């Protein structure tokens, strides 16, 4: 069965610290990978995505993620966080041949950035 | 351009009551989805639709029903509300070439007491 695992449920860090959120997936085939973010009181929105090609993808607001196929991982990184990065972050996956686009989400990681 | 609009934003139900969560999108997207979000559980797919008149079950469909009579609307019906249905519900949509990128609504917080 497909699954998405996010390693940390809560992360607290100070401004200017580096952030790395782990995401591992279990899926028997080629996948599309996503990170979505939910800022307090706002909609979920796409942070970045990977379909194919360069395994290092860059998203909005200085975020990037690296797809490591051998490790079934798609970790999210940001070198220097800001208070405005306080949000919940979700990793998601679907099969590349799934034309219905049904995403499987991880449990989410609540990130709190302190001033 | 409103995107995906969900109503109501908040609702409290008594056990056994029924209600409909409304979802409308104005982007002419073919695909629409209902997810529920529970703390520490992420989002779980309840139902989805690939076009008017076509719906299918997701991961957690029990206790819910949907219909898709138009491209724009995808209501989610709870017939006999149970405490286990206390959750935040998100509607989402994407177009045929949307590269699986979903546009989400603001969510509807439902509490069943």
């Amino acid at each position: 069965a497909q699954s998405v695992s996010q390693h940390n449920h809560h992360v607290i860090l100070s401004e200017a610290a580096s952030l790395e959120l782990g995401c591992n997936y279990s899926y028997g085939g080629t996948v599309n990978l996503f990170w979505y973010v939910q800022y307090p009181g706002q909609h979920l929105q796409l942070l970045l995505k990977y379909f194919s090609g360069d395994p290092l993808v860059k998203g909005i607001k200085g975020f990037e993620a690296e797809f490591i196929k051998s490790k079934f991982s798609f970790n999210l990184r940001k070198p220097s966080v800001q208070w405005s990065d306080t949000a919940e972050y979700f990793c998601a996956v679907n099969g590349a041949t799934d034309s219905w686009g049904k995403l499987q989400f991880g449990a989410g990681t609540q990130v709190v950035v302190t001033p | 351009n409103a995107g995906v609009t969900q109503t109501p934003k908040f609702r409290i139900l008594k056990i056994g009551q029924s209600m409909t969560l409304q979802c409308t999108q104005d982007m002419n997207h073919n695909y629409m989805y209902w997810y529920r979000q529970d703390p520490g559980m992420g989002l779980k797919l309840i139902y989805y639709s690939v076009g008017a008149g076509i719906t299918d079950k997701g991961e957690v469909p029990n206790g819910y029903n949907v219909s898709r009579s138009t491209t724009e609307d995808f209501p989610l019906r709870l017939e006999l509300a149970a405490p286990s249905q206390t959750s935040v519900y998100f509607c989402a949509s994407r177009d045929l070439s949307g590269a699986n990128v979903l546009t989400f609504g603001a969510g509807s917080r439902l509490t069943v007491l």
Side-chain angles (χ1 to χ4, degrees):
Chain A
Q2 298 175 55
S3 66
V4 181
S5 175
Q6 292 184 236
H7 309 309
N8 308 95
H9 292 299
H10 293 92
V11 172
I12 301 174
L13 60 167
S14 301
E15 278 190 309
S18 64
L19 173 69
E20 180 159 1
L21 302 181
C23 174
N24 286 91
Y25 65 92
S26 172
Y27 188 81
T30 305
V31 295
N32 300 318
L33 295 155
F34 307 81
W35 277 97
Y36 279 83
V37 61
Q38 186 176 25
Y39 297 103
Q42 295 189 26
H43 304 201
L44 277 99
Q45 57 185 283
L46 181 70
L47 204 52
L48 48 77
K49 63 185 185 293
Y50 172 81
F51 293 156
S52 63
D54 189 343
L56 184 63
V57 292
K58 296 191 184 300
I60 61 172
K61 305 189 179 187
F63 285 90
E64 65 179 31
E66 184 176 14
F67 170 52
I68 304 179
K69 188 175 180 180
S70 61
K71 295 185 178 180
F72 298 91
S73 70
F74 190 55
N75 293 351
L76 181 71
R77 298 194 290 254
K78 185 170 184 179
S80 177
V81 295
Q82 300 174 311
W83 177 78
S84 58
D85 293 321
T86 294
E88 190 157 18
Y89 295 80
F90 295 93
C91 182
V93 62
N94 82 321
T97 57
D98 170 22
S99 55
W100 309 134
K102 305 190 301 289
L103 295 185
Q104 182 103 9
F105 284 84
T109 299
Q110 183 67 52
V111 173
V112 175
V113 180
T114 60
Chain B
N1 191 345
V4 178
T5 302
Q6 291 182 234
T7 57
K9 286 186 167 37
F10 302 95
R11 182 73 186 268
I12 298 175
L13 282 183
K14 294 182 180 178
I15 294 172
Q17 286 186 321
S18 61
M19 75 159 298
T20 299
L21 299 177
Q22 302 291 345
C23 177
T24 299
Q25 52 92 7
D26 62 359
M27 299 170 285
N28 201 33
H29 285 176
N30 286 83
Y31 298 95
M32 296 188 75
Y33 310 83
W34 275 106
Y35 285 88
R36 59 176 287 172
Q37 181 186 17
D38 300 298
M41 302 291 288
L43 283 78
K44 302 290 186 187
L45 182 64
I46 306 171
Y47 270 96
Y48 67 101
S49 169
V50 301
I54 308 170
T55 64
D56 204 353
K57 296 177 181 179
E59 189 180 356
V60 290
N62 291 345
Y64 306 95
N65 279 300
V66 293
S67 59
R68 184 95 182 270
S69 56
T70 66
T71 300
E72 294 77 22
D73 300 308
F74 189 41
L76 178 71
R77 178 95 178 147
L78 285 73
E79 291 293 350
L80 290 170
S84 61
Q85 293 177 306
T86 294
S87 187
V88 180
Y89 293 84
F90 288 98
C91 181
S93 72
R94 75 170 181 97
D95 65 23
L96 282 173
S97 62
N100 295 322
V101 176
L102 304 185
T103 300
F104 282 87
S108 297
R109 183 176 294 275
L110 175 66
T111 302
V112 182
L113 300 174

